[in-house]
C-alpha cells in the first residue's frame, strides 16, 4: 500500500532519461549557490506525519467531503496523516470525536488526543484566574488517570486505535482551562502514568517551546521536559513528548537532551503567522507555514507536525472546504513525506533565503523540499549521495500563481540535477532511485569486519562505548572492546547496508565474542533490531551461546531470515546478566548457507573423585569423566592412610572440543525433561526479561548451533511423547 501510494502520488513512469551533462548543467548562474548535497547515509528522526485538529465542540465537525479532502491523497487533497482530537471532560460527549476519527483511521491516519480540562467533579477553581481557570488536586490524580485511560478504551472500542493521549493541553497558558506546574505534571506522570494502559502517554503540551531561562514563562516551556528528563520514573512512563510552537523562534527549537532521549518529539499545535480572519490565502504570507515546518523538522527534529484547526478561515482549508494557500504550503510536505520516512542530511542553506530538507522512504525514493523565501529566482544544483542512480524526478511547486503544480521528467544525470526555484516558492522533488546491486565477495561475504584499523561502522548499542583493543583479538592484532555498559542489554551494534540486506531474504551471520571478567560462563547473544511495517521497533534473536571466560565463542546462524516488511535492520551483540566489558571480533554477514569458521566450542565439566579409607584396608578408586564429546579426562586417586574417613572432592576441568555436547532438552538443568523446560525455552525465545537458561546447549535439539522455534517444537514433541506433560 505504501509503495503503491507513492507511485500514484508522484505519477512515476519508470522511464530512464538519457541526457548529456551539458544539457543538465547550465553555464549561466542566476546568483551564487552552493551544491545542495543529499546524504542518504546520515539519518535523523523518523517521520510520523503532518496534520491538524478536528474540534467539533468549538468549530463544528468536518463533513464527509471535507474529511476526504483532508485525509485523501489524490488530486486536490491534502494527504494529512495525523489527526488530533479533543478529550471532552464530559464522557457522555466523547462520541462527538468519533465520525472524523473513524474516517481518518480507515485511511491509516495516526490519531492522538489532548485534554483541556478534567471532569468537573475532579477539578477545583484555581485561586489566581490570571494564571489558570481550573486546578486538579493531587488527591484526584488517580481518578484523572482513569479518565484518560477510559477515553483510550472508548476510542479503541469504537474502532479508533488511539496512538497517544497527552497529560494536558498548554498547562502553562491556562487562563481558560487547567493549570499545572512543572512539578505537578512530573509527579503525575511518575506516579500515575503507568495506570494509562489503553494508549501511549504523551507529555504535557507546552504553549511555547521557550528557553528554560525565559523570564516570561517562569514555570513552563522547556522546563516541563527538563523535569521529566531528570525523573527516571517519569521518563519510563512518558512515551513521547509534545509541544506547541506559538511564538517559538527557530533558535529555540533545538533541545539536544530531549532529541537524544530515545523518545519522539511532536509539534502538536500552531498556526503561523496569525489567526486573522480570512488570512488563509494571503501570499507570500502563507509561505511561512512551509518555513515553520522546515524549522520543526531540521532544527527541532520533530517527528510530527500538527496544525491547529484543519478547517478555518485561517486554516489549511477555508470554511467552504477548499484547500487554502496555507494548506498547499503544508501539502508540499504532507503529500510526499509519508509516515515511516526518515529525515536525512541535506545542505540546509545552499544559498541566501533558500532552505532545504530531505527524506527517504523504503521504496528507493528520496523526497527533497526546497523553500526560496527570497524575491529573486535561484538556479539550484542538487546532488544525491547514494549507492543508486537517479531514474526519474517529479517536481511539485506552490508559488503565488501555482498550487502543487506538477512538472515531471526533469532532466538529470546519474546522481544530480538542476532546478529553478522561483522567488517566494516551495518545491518538492520526488526522486526515484534504481538500486545498484551489491554483490558478495569471492567468499560470499557482504561484509567482513576485522577491526584492524577502525570500528567498521559498529557503534555502541544503548549506553555502551566501543574502542579498538589489542588485548585479546581472535584474529589479527585488534578486537572491538565494548565498555561502559549501563545495562545488561547494552552492547555493540551495526546497521546492515540496505542495498545488500533485504526484508524477507535469508543470510548467514557470525561474530566471535570473548570476556575477561565476572562469572566463569555467561549467556551471550547476537540479535536483530528493526522497524516493522507499522513503524514499531521490534527485536529477533539470530544466535546465542554460552561463553566460557577468557575463551572466544562463536555466535552464528547460516540461515537467518530478515523479517518480512521490516527495515532499518541492525544486528547487535550482548552479554546477559551483567555490565562487564566484552570483546568482539571477526563479524561477518554473508549469503545464505555460508558456513563461517569460528573458534572451537568450549565446555566446562565437573569430575568428582571419592576416596574412602579404613584402618584395615586401603581402597583405590578410579573415576573416568566423559565430556560427552571427543575428549575425556581420567583421574586416579590412591588412598594410603590408616584413619577411618570418607572424603568427597570436586575438580573442574575445561575441555575444548570440536563438537557440542549431546542435547537432552533439560534447559533448566534439574535432571528432568518436562513441561518446565518447554515453558522456560519459550520465554527465553520471546525475550522475556530476566529469563536465563541453565544449559542452553541442552535445548539445541535441532543440532544446528542455534536456539529457535524448531528446537522448541522438538522439545514440546519430546515432552509430549514421554508423557511428562
Amino acid at each position: 500500500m505504501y509503495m503503491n501510494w507513492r507511485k500514484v502520488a508522484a505519477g512515476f513512469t519508470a522511464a530512464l532519461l538519457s541526457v548529456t551533462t551539458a544539457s543538465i548543467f547550465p553555464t549561466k548562474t542566476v546568483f551564487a549557490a552552493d551544491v545542495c548535497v543529499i546524504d542518504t547515509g546520515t539519518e535523523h528522526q523518523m517521520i510520523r506525519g503532518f496534520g491538524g485538529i478536528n474540534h467539533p465542540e468549538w468549530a463544528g465537525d468536518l463533513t464527509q467531503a471535507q474529511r476526504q479532502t483532508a485525509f485523501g491523497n489524490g488530486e486536490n487533497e491534502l494527504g494529512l496523516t495525523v489527526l488530533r482530537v479533543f478529550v471532552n471532560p464530559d464522557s457522555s460527549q466523547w462520541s462527538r470525536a468519533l465520525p472524523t476519527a473513524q474516517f481518518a483511521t480507515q485511511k491509516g491516519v495516526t490519531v492522538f488526543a489532548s485534554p483541556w480540562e478534567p471532569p468537573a467533579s475532579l477539578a477545583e477553581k484555581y485561586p489566581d484566574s490570571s494564571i489558570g481557570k481550573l486546578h486538579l488536586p493531587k488527591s484526584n490524580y488517580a481518578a484523572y488517570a482513569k479518565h484518560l485511560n477510559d477515553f483510550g478504551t472508548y476510542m479503541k472500542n469504537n474502532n479508533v486505535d488511539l496512538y497517544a493521549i497527552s497529560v494536558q493541553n498548554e498547562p502553562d497558558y491556562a487562563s481558560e482551562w487547567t493549570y499545572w506546574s512543572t512539578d505537578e505534571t512530573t509527579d503525575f506522570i511518575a506516579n500515575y502514568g503507568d495506570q494509562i494502559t489503553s494508549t501511549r502517554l504523551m507529555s504535557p503540551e507546552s504553549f511555547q517551546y521557550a528557553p528554560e531561562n525565559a523570564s516570561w514563562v517562569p514555570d513552563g516551556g522547556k522546563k516541563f521536559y527538563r523535569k521529566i528528563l531528570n525523573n527516571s520514573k517519569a521518563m519510563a512512563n512518558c512515551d513521547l513528548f509534545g509541544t506547541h510552537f506559538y511564538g517559538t523562534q527557530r533558535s529555540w527549537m533545538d533541545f539536544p537532551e530531549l532529541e537524544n532521549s530515545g523518545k519522539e518529539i511532536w509539534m502538536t499545535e500552531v498556526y503561523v503567522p496569525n489567526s486573522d480572519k480570512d488570512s488563509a490565502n494571503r501570499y507570500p504570507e502563507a509561505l511561512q507555514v512551509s518555513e515553520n515546518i522546515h524549522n520543526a523538522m531540521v532544527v527541532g527534529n520533530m517527528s510530527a507536525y500538527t496544525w491547529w484547526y484543519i478547517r478555518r478561515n485561517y486554516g489549511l482549508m477555508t470554511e467552504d472546504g477548499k484547500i487554502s494557500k496555507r494548506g498547499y504550503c503544508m501539502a508540499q510536505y504532507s503529500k510526499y513525506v509519508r509516515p515511516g520516512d526518515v529525515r536525512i542530511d541535506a545542505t540546509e542553506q545552499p544559498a541566501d533565503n533558500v532552505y532545504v530538507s530531505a527524506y527517504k522512504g523504503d521504496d528507493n525514493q528520496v523526497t527533497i523540499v526546497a523553500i526560496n523565501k527570497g524575491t529573486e529566482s535561484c538556479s539550484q544544483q542538487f546532488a544525491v549521495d547514494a549507492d543508486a542512480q537517479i531514474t526519474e524526478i517529479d517536481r511539485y511547486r506552490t508559488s503565488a500563481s501555482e498550487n502543487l503544480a506538477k512538472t515531471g521528467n526533469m532532466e538529470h544525470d546519474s546522481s544530480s540535477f538542476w532546478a529553478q526555484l522561483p522567488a517566494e516558492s516551495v518545491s518538492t522533488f520526488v526522486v526515484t532511485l534504481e538500486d545498484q546491486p551489491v554483490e558478495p565477495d569471492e567468499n560470499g561475504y557482504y561484509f567482513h569486519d576485522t577491526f584492524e584499523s577502525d570500528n567498521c561502522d559498529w557503534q555502541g548499542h544503548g549506553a555502551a562505548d566501543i574502542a579498538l583493543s589489542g588485548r585479546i583479538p581472535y584474529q589479527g592484532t585488534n578486537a572491538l572492546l565494548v565498555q561502559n555498559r549501563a545495562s545488561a542489554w547494552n552492547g555493540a551494534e551495526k546497521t546492515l547496508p540496505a542495498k545488500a540486506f533485504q526484508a524477507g531474504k535469508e543470510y548467514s551471520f557470525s561474530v566471535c565474542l570473548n570476556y575477561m571478567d565476572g562469572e566463569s560462563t555467561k549467556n551471550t547473544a547476537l540479535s536483530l533490531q528493526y522497524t516493522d511495517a507499522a513503524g514499531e521497533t521490534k527485536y529477533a534473536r539470530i544466535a546465542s551461546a554460552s561463553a566460557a571466560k577468557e575463551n572466544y565463542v562463536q555466535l552464528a546462524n547460516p540461515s537467518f531470515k530478515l523479517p518480512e516488511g521490516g527495515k532499518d535492520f541492525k544486528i547487535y551483540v550482548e552479554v546477559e546478566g551483567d555490565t562487564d566489558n566484552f570483546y568482539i571480533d571477526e563479524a561477518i554477514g554473508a549469503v545464505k548457507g555460508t558456513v563461517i569458521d569460528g573458534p572451537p566450542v568450549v565446555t566446562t565439566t565437573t569430575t568428582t573423585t571419592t576416596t574412602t579409607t579404613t584402618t584395615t584396608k586401603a581402597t583405590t578408586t578410579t573415576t573416568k569423566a566423559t565430556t560427552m564429546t571427543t575428549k575425556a579426562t581420567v583421574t586416579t586417586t590412591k588412598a594410603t592412610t590408616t584413619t577411618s574417613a570418607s572424603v568427597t572432592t570436586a575438580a573442574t576441568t575445561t575441555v575444548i572440543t570440536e563438537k557440542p555436547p549431546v542435547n537432552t532438552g533439560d534447559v533448566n538443568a534439574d535432571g528432568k525433561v518436562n513441561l518446565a523446560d518447554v515453558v522456560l525455552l519459550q520465554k527465553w525465545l520471546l525475550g522475556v526479561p530476566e529469563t536465563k537458561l541453565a544449559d542452553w546447549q541442552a535445548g539445541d535439539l535441532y543440532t544446528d548451533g542455534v536456539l529457535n522455534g524448531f528446537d522448541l517444537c522438538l522439545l514440546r514433541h519430546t515432552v509430549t511423547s514421554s508423557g511428562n506433560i
Side-chain angles (χ1 to χ4, degrees):
M1 287 291 289
Y2 177 55
M3 289 182 63
N4 291 340
W5 174 87
R6 295 180 69 105
K7 295 293 184 184
V8 172
F12 295 119
T13 65
L16 177 63
L17 302 176
S18 298
V19 297
T20 66
T21 302
S23 69
I24 298 171
F25 305 117
T27 57
K28 180 176 78 170
T29 302
V30 176
F31 62 81
D34 294 331
V35 176
C36 180
V37 178
I38 312 300
D39 180 4
T40 61
T42 302
E43 299 182 352
H44 300 284
Q45 77 274 26
M46 188 183 73
I47 306 302
R48 292 289 178 183
F50 305 84
I53 194 170
N54 181 57
H55 203 320
E57 288 88 342
W58 291 3
D61 204 355
L62 298 177
T63 67
Q64 189 73 357
Q66 291 166 356
R67 293 167 189 148
Q68 181 63 38
T69 299
F71 304 111
N73 202 38
E75 189 175 356
N76 296 319
E77 295 175 344
L78 283 166
L80 303 183
T81 51
V82 174
L83 171 66
R84 186 184 184 210
V85 297
F86 171 62
V87 182
N88 199 302
D90 181 358
S91 61
S92 68
Q93 299 297 308
W94 286 352
S95 61
R96 300 182 68 172
L98 287 177
T100 295
Q102 289 169 335
F103 182 94
T105 297
Q106 292 174 356
K107 292 286 188 180
V109 170
T110 297
V111 183
F112 75 100
S114 302
W116 269 247
E117 299 176 359
S121 61
L122 303 180
E124 64 184 9
K125 185 178 179 181
Y126 196 72
D128 187 348
S129 60
S130 65
I131 296 177
K133 175 184 175 183
L134 299 172
H135 181 254
L136 182 71
K138 185 172 182 177
S139 58
N140 291 335
Y141 280 8
Y144 183 64
K146 184 179 183 301
H147 170 72
L148 299 183
N149 193 64
D150 287 348
F151 183 83
T153 301
Y154 175 84
M155 298 297 281
K156 185 176 295 185
N157 291 339
N158 285 278
N159 302 314
V160 178
D161 190 7
L162 197 68
Y163 187 84
I165 192 167
S166 77
V167 174
Q168 170 69 43
N169 171 79
E170 298 178 0
D172 50 349
Y173 190 79
S175 59
E176 298 180 17
W177 39 84
T178 309
Y179 173 81
W180 297 65
S181 70
T182 56
D183 285 336
E184 287 174 326
T185 57
T186 303
D187 179 26
F188 175 80
I189 296 169
N191 296 301
Y192 299 89
D194 58 354
Q195 298 181 19
I196 300 168
T197 58
S198 63
T199 185
R200 297 170 183 82
L201 182 62
M202 179 186 288
S203 73
E205 305 161 79
S206 64
F207 168 74
Q208 186 181 75
Y209 209 44
E212 294 174 80
N213 61 355
S215 60
W216 60 92
V217 249
D219 194 34
K222 289 181 179 177
K223 289 187 179 71
F224 283 108
Y225 315 113
R226 176 68 66 189
K227 288 288 180 69
I228 297 170
L229 281 169
N230 292 336
N231 186 305
S232 59
K233 288 181 63 179
M235 272 299 287
N237 291 337
C238 184
D239 297 300
L240 68 161
F241 292 90
T243 187
H244 297 174
F245 264 9
Y246 292 108
T248 299
Q249 301 176 21
R250 172 185 162 101
S251 61
W252 300 350
M253 294 180 186
D254 194 21
F255 193 170
E257 296 94 330
L258 200 62
E259 294 156 28
N260 295 322
S261 69
K263 310 258 176 110
E264 293 181 2
I265 315 170
W266 291 18
M267 201 298 294
T268 57
E269 184 186 314
V270 77
Y271 53 76
V272 290
N274 52 57
S275 58
D276 294 351
K277 185 177 181 181
D278 298 324
S279 59
N281 285 305
R282 292 178 189 164
Y283 205 89
E285 185 179 274
L287 194 61
Q288 295 184 45
V289 175
S290 296
E291 182 183 5
N292 196 251
I293 295 174
H294 171 89
N295 292 337
M297 298 293 108
V298 175
V299 183
N301 284 281
M302 303 288 166
S303 291
Y305 184 96
T306 313
W307 189 260
W308 181 223
Y309 289 123
I310 294 174
R311 186 202 65 218
R312 205 65 168 168
N313 53 41
Y314 56 87
L316 308 177
M317 297 160 52
T318 50
E319 295 292 356
D320 58 3
K322 295 180 179 178
I323 300 175
S324 67
K325 276 292 190 183
R326 291 182 177 183
Y328 284 117
C329 285
M330 177 181 275
Q332 294 282 160
Y333 292 87
S334 59
K335 288 180 70 68
Y336 313 110
V337 182
R338 303 300 286 181
D341 285 4
V342 176
R343 186 173 72 84
I344 55 179
D345 254 11
T347 306
E348 189 204 355
Q349 298 183 43
D352 290 342
N353 295 309
V354 173
Y355 298 85
V356 179
S357 62
Y359 313 83
K360 70 176 182 181
D362 59 359
D363 52 354
N364 299 325
Q365 290 185 11
V366 170
T367 302
I368 305 166
V369 186
I371 304 166
N372 182 7
K373 291 174 53 183
T375 56
E376 297 181 46
S377 180
C378 174
S379 185
Q380 180 63 57
Q381 183 185 3
F382 299 88
V384 181
D385 178 19
D387 295 327
Q389 291 187 347
I390 298 174
T391 61
E392 189 173 358
I393 304 170
D394 284 340
R395 173 175 57 193
Y396 305 84
R397 187 168 65 207
T398 295
S399 64
S401 59
E402 301 167 300
N403 296 322
L404 292 174
K406 180 184 176 184
T407 302
N409 298 328
M410 293 181 58
E411 293 185 342
H412 59 85
D413 68 6
S414 62
S415 61
S416 63
F417 64 97
W418 285 82
Q420 200 74 13
L421 306 179
E424 299 176 328
S425 69
V426 52
S427 303
T428 301
F429 305 93
V430 182
V431 182
T432 303
L433 304 173
E434 183 179 74
D435 281 339
Q436 299 301 297
V438 177
E439 300 294 336
D441 65 13
E442 64 275 10
N443 298 312
Y445 297 171
Y446 290 105
F447 67 83
H448 182 187
D449 300 335
T450 62
F451 308 110
E452 291 302 288
S453 59
D454 58 44
N455 62 10
C456 301
D457 297 321
W458 285 76
Q459 60 185 13
H461 183 67
D465 297 325
I466 60 170
L468 297 184
S469 171
R471 184 182 182 189
I472 49 166
Y474 171 60
Q475 291 187 5
T477 59
N478 278 328
L480 190 70
L481 167 64
V482 184
Q483 58 188 344
N484 300 325
R485 299 164 62 216
S487 301
W489 63 269
N490 297 162
E493 68 177 34
K494 180 186 178 73
T495 299
L496 297 180
K499 306 301 182 188
F501 295 89
Q502 301 175 12
K505 295 185 177 180
E506 293 184 53
Y507 300 89
S508 176
F509 294 101
S510 174
V511 65
C512 299
L513 180 148
N514 198 351
Y515 71 96
M516 306 293 287
D517 306 302
E519 300 177 358
S520 60
T521 62
K522 295 181 181 181
N523 292 327
T524 65
L526 173 64
S527 301
L528 179 77
Q529 177 182 316
Y530 66 100
T531 304
D532 68 7
E536 300 291 334
T537 300
K538 300 291 185 177
Y539 304 89
R541 183 65 52 86
I542 299 174
S544 58
S546 178
K549 187 176 181 179
E550 300 182 9
N551 290 277
Y552 267 98
V553 68
Q554 184 182 25
L555 297 163
N557 188 338
S559 300
F560 179 79
K561 183 177 181 180
L562 297 180
E564 298 278 1
K567 65 176 183 177
D568 303 329
F569 296 110
K570 297 179 180 178
I571 58 173
Y572 64 95
V573 184
E574 60 186 326
V575 175
E576 300 177 357
D578 60 40
T579 58
D580 293 333
N581 297 348
F582 65 87
Y583 302 81
I584 63 171
D585 203 356
E586 291 293 308
I588 297 171
V591 298
K592 173 188 176 183
T594 302
V595 179
I596 301 168
D597 291 336
V601 177
V602 177
T603 61
T604 301
T605 63
T606 300
T607 300
T608 302
T609 301
T610 304
T611 302
T612 305
T613 63
T614 67
T615 55
T616 58
K617 183 178 181 181
T619 302
T620 300
T621 302
T622 302
T623 302
K624 185 175 183 180
T626 304
T627 65
M628 308 290 285
T629 63
T630 59
K631 296 186 178 181
T633 300
V634 179
T635 303
T636 302
T637 304
K638 178 176 284 188
T640 59
T641 65
T642 59
T643 303
S644 180
S646 180
V647 181
T648 301
T649 61
T652 300
T653 304
T654 299
V655 181
I656 300 177
T657 67
E658 299 299 330
K659 289 179 66 179
V662 174
N663 304 288
T664 65
D666 185 18
V667 293
N668 63 7
D670 65 351
K672 297 176 287 186
V673 180
N674 53 27
L675 184 59
D677 298 293
V678 176
V679 173
L680 180 62
L681 181 57
Q682 181 171 313
K683 290 173 63 177
W684 188 85
L685 290 172
L686 291 172
V688 176
E690 307 302 323
T691 302
K692 296 182 179 180
L693 304 180
D695 184 2
W696 77 271
Q697 291 171 310
D700 186 19
L701 300 180
Y702 207 69
T703 63
D704 60 355
V706 180
L707 290 185
N708 53 31
F710 293 113
D711 301 299
L712 180 62
C713 290
L714 287 174
L715 178 57
R716 186 181 287 113
H717 177 73
T718 299
V719 172
T720 303
S721 301
S722 66
N724 290 328
I725 197 168

